[in-house]
Amino acid sequence: MTNSWFTIECINRRTTAISEYGHWEQGHSYLFEGSRKAALIDTGLGIGRISDVVRKLTQLQIVVLTTHCHWDHIGGHGEFDELAIHEDDQGWLEHGLPISSQEILSNLFKEPFSQKLPRCFDPYNYHPFVGKPRHVLHDNDVINLGDRQLKILHTPGHSPGHICVFEEETGYLCTGDLLYEGTVYASYPSTDPWKLHDSIKRIDSIEHVSRLLPGHKRLDIQRSFLSKARVALDKLADAEFVKHGTGIHECGDISFIF
Ligand SMILES: [Zn+2]
Ligand SMILES: [Zn+2]
């Protein structure tokens, strides 16, 4: 199913990927529907109205779980009331990101859009969301959706308050920008390559991960991709490359910029 800007793909009967393939970063948000409540993991770029798509899928109350406070994951936050973010990214959500709007716009337009832009989108008026969350998340918090439980894992490195979201029952692991097929960034001053390595080790040690749900690029990456990333980082660490200023490291389907 497509809704002009968003592509909707079924992960299972009550889990949906809502993707923005028209933008070069090919971002994904995810809807988890429980018996009492639904969780939306990230809200995309804010180019189209993601709440219109969500409302067609469910009438349940929505809690938005923010994997991290980068502009391409919080674009639709203003369309929802119940926002949650890790305490270490909370300041950016409330006071704005520490980058200029010029930098954000040049990233937004870095490559041509491959899909027609929604009529409601005005690039001259594009500002990342700023606002207060209703919930502040901590490591190992559990979000109760009724008959589904989502565990919050604090996985810093790409951003200080980055989280992964794990559902033990299905084995689904939302990895945000910690891991996806493509170039993973830990080169900004606010990033930490060493912590990113630790976070990858942590999620690789979780048993029963059946499927990775990444923040960008290909949706159908295998569980083994996570172990490959860990091995690649272990080797980079042995060579003392896991630190700022060492540049880009190509490791097969994944590369890291430190
Ligand atoms: Zn990011
Ligand atoms: Zn991102």
Side-chain angles (χ1 to χ4, degrees), residues 123-246:
Y124 299 103
N125 242 319
Y126 185 82
H127 301 290
F129 173 83
V130 177
K132 278 201 184 301
R134 190 177 295 177
H135 308 289
V136 177
L137 301 170
H138 305 93
D139 192 31
N140 292 320
D141 280 352
V142 174
I143 308 298
N144 186 358
L145 305 179
D147 60 351
R148 299 181 83 174
Q149 268 74 42
L150 303 179
K151 190 168 178 185
I152 304 300
L153 306 172
H154 182 214
T155 49
H158 176 75
S159 86
H162 189 288
I163 58 163
C164 289
V165 180
F166 182 55
E167 184 179 39
E168 187 136 15
E169 180 94 5
T170 55
Y172 295 162
L173 177 68
C174 295
T175 58
D177 280 9
L178 177 64
L179 182 71
Y180 53 82
E181 194 184 279
T183 305
V184 169
Y185 290 84
S187 53
Y188 309 119
S190 55
T191 63
D192 186 327
W194 196 258
K195 285 186 181 165
L196 182 121
H197 184 200
D198 279 347
S199 294
I200 292 276
K201 284 195 258 187
R202 180 181 184 190
I203 60 170
D204 187 41
S205 69
I206 304 171
E207 287 177 38
H208 318 305
V209 172
S210 67
R211 181 158 183 177
L212 304 175
L213 300 175
H216 295 280
K217 310 287 179 182
R218 271 181 61 172
L219 253 192
D220 59 338
I221 51 175
Q222 303 294 316
R223 165 64 179 84
S224 57
F225 188 70
L226 174 51
S227 305
K228 276 205 276 184
R230 186 216 169 119
V231 170
L233 281 168
D234 288 347
K235 283 186 186 157
L236 290 174
D238 287 344
E240 297 192 10
F241 283 140
V242 180
K243 57 187 175 193
H244 278 154
T246 59

Side-chain angles (χ1 to χ4, degrees), residues 68 70 73 158 177:
H68 64 298
H70 283 169
H73 297 258
H158 176 75
D177 280 9

